[in-house]
Amino acid sequence: MNMIYDPDNIFAKILRGEMPAVKVYEDAATLAFMDVMPQSPGHTLVIPKAPATNIYDLPVEAAAAVMRTVHRLAPAVQAAMRADGIMVCQYNGAAAGQSVFHYHMHIVPRYVGQSLGNHGSGMAPAETLKAYADKISAALAAAGHAD
Ligand code: DGP
């Protein structure tokens, strides 16, 4: 059985503006911001604005909205970070590695010969995240997606 959505989880607080985040993109249904514990430079998260713990309680409309934003952002992250590849993934339940219980998708730049950093460890400085976010926003704007 899935767990009950906790409206005080950290991503819900970011959505309400109660906690800071380095944002890169927002539309009516989704928000994208830099992962504060990046597994590689440019690690970005996309979340639905609808409350959902994980894929089990995520409405299909919200799932589509998240994928639409991931589809926009992944090429921008790739271009901005000059990544060799982009990993897109998400975890459902603690046993799968989920640690924040508001549904989210990871966009993680990958580089030939570079192994991935540990999941959810090591905080990046805000100014570093801001520099990456600015590059990604510029790449989005260049692709005509600056909303
Ligand atoms: P997961 O394990 O899939 O639930 O991933 C949660 C991710 O969220 C993990 O990569 C670290 C990141 N994270 C945790 N707390 C915060 C936070 O307060 N702000 C931001 N931007 N990211 C966070």
Side-chain angles (χ1 to χ4, degrees):
M1 199 175 98
N2 198 25
M3 56 192 289
I4 293 169
Y5 181 79
D6 172 10
D8 284 327
N9 75 76
I10 193 78
F11 291 173
K13 289 182 178 178
I14 287 172
L15 277 173
R16 292 197 296 267
E18 295 167 8
M19 288 292 288
V22 179
K23 298 177 184 179
V24 289
Y25 176 84
E26 182 166 12
D27 61 23
T30 66
L31 176 68
F33 52 94
M34 305 312 294
D35 192 307
V36 83
M37 298 175 218
Q39 288 184 265
S40 79
H43 184 162
T44 304
L45 300 172
V46 179
I47 67 173
K49 291 186 174 176
T53 306
N54 51 36
I55 202 164
Y56 308 126
D57 60 345
L58 181 71
V60 69
E61 296 79 12
V66 167
M67 185 49 82
R68 179 182 167 87
T69 296
V70 169
H71 188 263
R72 280 186 171 187
L73 268 175
V77 174
Q78 187 279 325
M81 303 309 300
R82 299 179 186 276
D84 296 318
I86 291 286
M87 185 174 89
V88 172
C89 63
Q90 58 90 213
Y91 309 103
N92 302 286
Q98 187 177 10
S99 60
V100 177
F101 294 94
H102 180 110
Y103 180 89
H104 53 279
M105 203 167 271
H106 297 261
I107 300 175
V108 185
R110 300 297 308 267
Y111 301 90
V112 171
Q114 282 184 30
S115 55
L116 205 55
N118 286 334
H119 181 65
S121 69
M123 300 261 287
E127 57 272 24
T128 303
L129 297 181
K130 180 73 171 63
Y132 295 147
D134 286 347
K135 285 188 191 193
I136 295 166
S137 296
L140 269 178
H145 297 310
D147 41 338

